[in-house]
Amino acid sequence: MSGKKDQRDRSAARRRLAKERRWTYTDWHPERMQLCAGPLGVDAEKAMALDAVSGTLDGHWFSVFDCVTDDPSAARTVYLVQLPAVLPLVAVSRHSLAVDTMVPLLKRLVTERPDRHLYEIGDPAYDANHVVESVDLEAAARLLTPAVREFADDRRWLQWQVEGGYLFYAEPPGPRRGKDDTHAILTGLRSLVDLVEIIDPGLWGEAADAVPGVGDGRAEAEKNPGDADHGMANAERGAVSDAVPSVGAQPVPGPGSGPSAMARGGPAHTGVYPKGTLPSGFEAWSVRLPDAVVAAPVVCAGTVYVNCSDGRCYALDAVTGAARWSFDAIGALKETPAVADGTVYVVGESGVLHAVGAVDGQEHWRQRVGHSGAPVVADGLLYVVHHPANLLRDTSRIRALDAATGEERWERRLPDGSAAAAAVSDGRVYVQGARAQLTAFDAVTGEELWHQGSTASQLSCCTPSVAGGMVCAGTGAGRFYAYDAVTGEQLWGAQAAGVVDSTPALAEGLVFVGDSHGGAYAVDGSDGGLLWHLPNRYGASSPAICGPSGWIVGTKYGRGLFKISLSAGAVLWRHALDGRGTGPVYADGVVYVGTQAGTVLAVDAETGRKPPRARRKMRV
């Protein structure tokens, strides 16, 4: 019985998605199987296309459905995106396991087919992990440009292909569980449409207007043309390419013309916030968003900006919690936004960076940057660090963009992968790699200033912090280090009990840090000597600091918000959370925190008093 209920829930989620986006839903669509039976290797007469959602996104018709056969463990979610013209078959598969045996075997099988050709681009690293088969080697060469190859691999796709008038992608086979896959669908669609947009337009030629229809589903979608970009703030959009301005967008203010806020209090990520007075009439409140909040909010000029896993950035009144606007980025948002000079910058799992008006939520421009860490803005430049599919094997890149236009100023490759964001201070940009290597660049030119190597094998995800001529960062091995910000010389190192992924806080010559299962620590910034330790076997976040106090999230499953004394590490008050909390944020006498239950909480920083019943879990 539970299996049938799960399937009903999955179907209901697809119906809701279609209704919200003004797309179409069909519970069974046999015509779809005729289009993709070959690539899937199934019998079109026996397989079924269930729970199909169809529509248009940025002017491209698409259909998403579940391919179900008599084998319940082999169900697959299939994506079709219509191309501007008919193309010959080019199929790309990527392999990361048994490449010495599997890839040569698959290549041999391709060459044994009289109607297929094996295409190799001449890059040993790419050819060793990819099998490309085509019926037209020239078309394959024109399709697989460096930009297309990098984009597809950044999406972690194992197999994709173009054939006829469609771009085709199918998720790996598995049981058709009853989970709500709305976010995965939106992220996948955005990525596939973006891929179509970066393909060489010369491939379309004059045939762009001659692509045949695909049956009643497409005709129905054209009768009811919706677009995914539908929400409280709905900007008209075109195709995503480098620094695309949105239709009707207002000019972005220049640098220095407004307040700013970003992860951990600013571009240097010190975790220190300016003192402020509690707003008159403030009462604690909590707002319930549609999905999980996994990245800390930011507060700027009386507005709380919070990214949600439902793919929207929400602007809430900092005093009342009332919704001011929301922006739909398509695909889950799991990084903290940045606010500077009247613009909010958000980057989602779709790999697109959006610049949105802080007052009205209207999009100014967007830029494809790939899966990246939280954006950082300083002196008119915006910095994003790309996160590769395999953090310990592939390399990352850091890009500097003009914050007003999105145009690229410089790009540099890092020595290894990175799972962190950049820190910016005194004209230098600092990035830590997945193996705890730390690199400093000139913020304006991108010139590498110094590099601190590491042979660590544990994954490190800590974003560095900078203050007083010192850079601090934690590692996956539980160590946290201090380096000279100018020369890169290591000053000292200290050991925590657990993994240090939380960015250290730096204040008054002291370093405060939380780890995964030891608690919170305070050490002397001059030599790393331990000053106090607040034990918690479930770990703690690094504190948000204002004056002599700090606020951390800790306890089992991260479901507690604590105020602590920075002089002794004593707990001053605690507040239970309804889910794992993000890092806390302080602004004007109020502490804000998000939870994976979808709650945004605002409480008096001094008392921690919970919201009155009428102001709990208000809906947006």
Side-chain angles (χ1 to χ4, degrees):
M1 182 64 72
S2 62
K4 292 183 179 180
K5 181 181 182 302
D6 285 345
Q7 297 311 317
R8 288 196 298 269
D9 290 345
R10 184 183 182 90
S11 300
R14 296 274 180 97
R15 288 192 188 95
R16 286 195 301 271
L17 172 63
K19 183 177 180 179
E20 289 172 0
R21 307 283 169 172
R22 295 180 293 166
W23 293 336
T24 59
Y25 170 83
T26 308
D27 55 1
W28 178 57
H29 212 308
E31 290 87 354
R32 296 289 183 265
M33 290 310 308
Q34 302 295 331
L35 294 172
C36 60
L40 288 171
V42 300
D43 186 339
E45 300 300 324
K46 296 181 179 179
M48 295 183 293
L50 303 181
D51 294 328
V53 176
S54 306
T56 57
L57 176 58
D58 286 350
H60 297 273
W61 181 88
F62 71 85
S63 185
V64 182
F65 57 90
D66 290 339
C67 173
V68 180
T69 65
D70 54 3
D71 181 359
S73 65
R76 308 181 73 176
T77 300
V78 179
Y79 297 76
L80 288 173
V81 176
Q82 191 175 32
L83 300 174
V86 173
L87 294 182
L89 168 71
V90 180
V92 182
S93 59
R94 184 179 63 175
H95 306 268
S96 57
L97 300 176
V99 293
D100 294 335
T101 55
M102 181 62 72
V103 172
L105 174 61
L106 294 175
K107 290 182 176 181
R108 191 187 73 191
L109 293 176
V110 173
T111 59
E112 289 176 352
R113 296 186 59 176
D115 60 332
R116 299 292 173 89
H117 304 286
L118 178 68
Y119 174 66
E120 293 187 317
I121 69 170
D123 181 340
Y126 188 85
D127 291 337
N129 292 278
H130 295 74
V131 178
V132 181
E133 60 177 306
S134 180
V135 297
D136 187 329
L137 292 180
E138 181 182 354
R142 294 183 64 186
L143 174 69
L144 293 175
T145 61
V148 167
R149 297 196 304 268
E150 182 176 16
F151 182 87
D153 282 355
D154 186 49
R155 304 276 81 70
R156 298 159 172 81
W157 293 337
L158 300 181
Q159 187 173 16
W160 61 278
Q161 72 177 58
V162 298
E163 184 175 16
Y166 301 95
L167 171 63
F168 167 88
Y169 169 71
E171 293 182 352
R176 187 169 177 260
R177 305 189 185 280
K179 64 179 181 180
D180 182 346
D181 58 353
T182 297
H183 302 146
I185 287 176
L186 292 174
T187 301
L189 280 175
R190 167 55 65 197
S191 296
L192 289 163
V193 168
D194 287 353
L195 177 59
V196 173
E197 297 296 344
I198 64 173
I199 293 175
D200 177 9
L203 283 169
W204 311 137
E206 297 179 357
D209 298 324
V211 181
V214 293
D216 296 339
R218 179 172 183 267
E220 186 177 348
E222 290 177 340
K223 291 177 184 177
N224 184 23
D227 194 285
D229 308 314
H230 173 69
M232 294 169 63
N234 185 8
E236 183 72 21
R237 301 186 184 185
V240 177
S241 59
D242 287 350
V244 176
S246 296
V247 176
Q250 298 298 314
V252 178
S257 59
S260 65
M262 56 205 76
R264 299 292 295 155
H269 304 310
T270 61
V272 178
Y273 297 83
K275 292 183 178 180
T277 304
L278 193 70
S280 176
F282 173 83
E283 281 189 294
W285 55 261
S286 66
V287 167
R288 191 65 174 267
L289 300 183
D291 210 331
V293 177
V294 298
V298 295
V299 185
C300 186
T303 302
V304 182
Y305 302 94
V306 56
N307 283 343
C308 183
S309 294
D310 72 343
R312 290 179 172 88
C313 176
Y314 292 87
L316 309 175
D317 187 288
V319 177
T320 67
R324 290 180 168 169
W325 53 258
S326 74
F327 172 77
D328 193 346
I330 309 299
L333 298 178
K334 297 185 177 181
E335 300 290 346
T336 297
V339 185
D341 303 324
T343 304
V344 184
Y345 302 91
V346 298
V347 61
E349 293 199 330
S350 64
V352 177
L353 172 70
H354 305 265
V356 180
V359 175
D360 57 12
Q362 294 295 308
E363 185 179 65
H364 295 155
W365 56 259
R366 53 199 158 116
Q367 169 76 284
R368 183 183 303 105
V369 295
H371 188 68
S372 303
V376 177
V377 185
D379 299 322
L381 291 179
L382 185 149
Y383 304 90
V384 286
V385 179
H386 168 255
H387 295 174
N390 190 315
L391 292 167
L392 294 176
R393 185 189 66 194
D394 301 332
T395 61
S396 289
R397 63 183 182 272
I398 178 173
R399 301 175 70 185
L401 310 176
D402 186 305
T405 65
E407 295 179 359
E408 184 177 293
R409 290 292 178 254
W410 54 261
E411 175 182 323
R412 296 292 182 270
R413 285 281 177 181
L414 300 175
D416 61 352
S418 177
V424 186
S425 179
D426 296 327
R428 290 179 288 271
V429 183
Y430 306 89
V431 185
Q432 178 165 257
R435 296 186 184 275
Q437 301 188 58
L438 189 63
T439 309
F441 301 90
D442 184 280
V444 176
T445 66
E447 176 189 359
E448 182 177 315
L449 301 177
W450 53 260
H451 173 71
Q452 182 67 244
S454 171
T455 58
S457 58
Q458 297 93 340
L459 176 64
S460 297
C461 304
C462 182
T463 295
S465 53
V466 193
M470 180 175 66
V471 184
C472 288
T475 72
R479 300 281 295 175
F480 53 103
Y481 297 95
Y483 304 90
D484 186 287
V486 177
T487 67
E489 177 187 359
Q490 182 177 315
L491 303 177
W492 51 260
Q495 182 69 49
V499 174
V500 181
D501 283 341
S502 185
T503 301
L506 309 179
E508 303 295 332
L510 304 180
V511 179
F512 305 89
V513 67
D515 71 356
S516 61
H517 57 268
Y521 307 80
V523 302
D524 191 314
S526 62
D527 58 10
L530 181 65
L531 300 177
W532 54 256
H533 173 211
L534 177 61
N536 189 319
R537 63 186 177 126
Y538 301 107
S541 70
S542 292
I545 293 175
C546 181
S549 302
W551 295 264
I552 63 173
V553 166
T555 75
K556 190 175 184 180
Y557 307 124
R559 297 172 69 116
L561 173 65
F562 299 81
K563 180 183 180 181
I564 61 173
S565 163
L566 296 182
S567 61
V571 174
L572 303 178
W573 58 251
R574 65 187 68 198
H575 185 105
L577 302 175
D578 60 358
R580 180 178 295 278
T582 66
V585 175
Y586 175 94
D588 296 326
V590 181
V591 172
Y592 303 86
V593 66
T595 76
Q596 289 192 6
T599 297
V600 180
L601 173 70
V603 297
D604 186 323
E606 289 300 316
T607 66
R609 187 175 295 114
K610 66 183 181 181
R613 187 175 299 276
R615 298 177 62 78
R616 296 180 197 170
K617 298 184 179 180
M618 300 179 292
R619 299 284 179 173
V620 297

